[in-house]
Amino acid sequence: MTQPRQFVIEADGGSRGNPGPAGYGAVVIDPVTGETLAEAAEYIGVATNNVAEYKGLIAGLKAAKALVPDASADGAVQVRVRMDSKLVVEQMSGRWKIKHPDMKPLAAEAARILPASAVTYEWIPREKNKHADRLANEAMDAGKRGKQWEPSASTAALDTPRPSTTADLPPVSGPPGDAAAGAAKARAALASRPAAASPAAPQVGWGAAPDLGAPATFVLLRHGETALTPEKRFSGSGGSDPELSAAGRHQAERIAQSLAARGTIEEIVSSPLRRCRETAAAVAARLGLEVRIEDGLRETDFGAWEGLTFAEVRERHGSDLDAWLASAKVAPTGDGESFAEVTRRVSAARDRLTTRYAGRTVLLVTHVTPIKTLIRLALGAPPEAMFRMELSAASVSAVAYYADGNASVRLLNDTSHLR
């Protein structure tokens, strides 16, 4: 039986501005010898990082297919794709849904190039994807000069040093070949290759991936107090929609003063509920900004529990409360909204806002449950983590969302501006 041709594809893409001038790079590698079999790179005009990354993947898959005449046949080729974009890897592996309309056709195009059984995906750190990253940057540099990328001997010498052992390139999944012959071929290829300079030490921290661009940073402000807040009564989107109390209006002014002093807020988005709109208006007046309303940021509908204290709910609806505390899928008494439903709503709002405000710092004026949900999701914490976070009235939290799909929690329940 003929063994499948095996390849490793490393691909990358980036934009200088997100969106901004963008390009991609891809390289096809022999997994046994580490030899570069094909390169591809292109300046694609103004686009986002994610679009450029997908186009790099597509170029790499097409380059691998071109090396095998019958690549579309089952068992003809086996490919391992290695990228430092967790978004692309997880979406193409089927573990993450593809929500953005720009990504769906690109993912579909990538999936059609080779049989699904022939391709696997692996995330690798940034420092292990330098070859494709260099190609992408060369393409963007060429585009800046009004030209398209062309391979050249001078830039080929700048490749990331080849692995000192073929163990650095993980084996491609598929039927095993002749291991002894493969090892001998690898040793011969490595012996004939000139020694390469040692690579620079990898960078650590958020500065290690400048091509990700500035994140969408959400400053999460819980609204000021209402008459229900000091008594810790359930106050969601299905109740009386209370206004700020005198204490709440004072808190709103204090946070407005603090945010004005920081000078970092570029946009303001608010829940449609009155207490949030009043808090947001106080900040907007101080900063000279408009307030946009996002319905996805509204508080949970607590059904029949609206306006009650926890003790009153325990007394009147004890079994329902126990079930609610035990499962995020259980809704409050009286056709309320479960935490699972809130999570879907808030996640959809988050995705809309991160797309709209990429690279900007935005104040989201919202409620306890949406803020806890955003923090929980950013941390990858389970639903029960919702009950282990404290959020005071008029407190500030913050999460940064990067172009590769990762998030960084920067702040939780800061009330220093109230002291």
Side-chain angles (χ1 to χ4, degrees), residues 9 56-66 79 81 110-111 113-114 119 121:
I9 295 173
L57 167 63
I58 291 167
L61 290 170
K62 287 181 175 179
K65 182 178 180 179
V79 173
V81 175
I113 297 170
L114 293 171
V119 187
Y121 291 86

Side-chain angles (χ1 to χ4, degrees), residues 46 95 102 135 167 174 202 206 225 241 246 262 333 366-367 409:
V46 175
R95 291 185 289 269
D102 291 346
L135 295 176
W206 292 108
E225 286 187 10
D241 196 11
R262 296 183 190 186
T333 310
T366 180
H367 309 263
V409 175

Side-chain angles (χ1 to χ4, degrees), residues 333-345:
T333 310
D335 198 27
E337 192 177 20
S338 72
F339 280 163
E341 292 172 314
V342 174
T343 297
R344 289 192 289 272
R345 166 164 59 80

Side-chain angles (χ1 to χ4, degrees), residues 84-138:
D84 58 65
S85 170
K86 191 168 183 65
L87 177 79
V88 175
V89 168
E90 294 298 315
Q91 288 181 343
M92 291 303 298
S93 298
R95 291 185 289 269
W96 288 5
K97 291 183 178 179
I98 304 173
K99 300 177 181 179
H100 198 285
D102 291 346
M103 303 299 110
K104 290 181 179 179
L106 293 172
E109 181 181 356
R112 289 192 297 266
I113 297 170
L114 293 171
S117 60
V119 187
T120 59
Y121 291 86
E122 175 190 353
W123 178 86
I124 58 174
R126 184 98 203 132
E127 60 269 16
K128 291 189 177 181
N129 202 27
K130 290 182 179 178
H131 190 152
D133 174 65
R134 174 180 63 74
L135 295 176
N137 277 286
E138 284 180 6

Side-chain angles (χ1 to χ4, degrees), residues 36-78:
T36 295
L37 304 176
E39 289 181 333
E42 184 181 6
Y43 172 69
I44 58 174
V46 175
T48 65
N49 287 320
N50 292 340
V51 166
E53 288 162 346
Y54 262 109
K55 286 186 175 290
L57 167 63
I58 291 167
L61 290 170
K62 287 181 175 179
K65 182 178 180 179
L67 294 171
V68 182
D70 59 344
S72 297
D74 288 337
V77 65
Q78 201 72 36

Side-chain angles (χ1 to χ4, degrees), residues 187-210:
R187 285 193 295 271
L190 289 169
S192 64
R193 187 173 294 130
S198 299
Q203 296 180 348
V204 178
W206 292 108

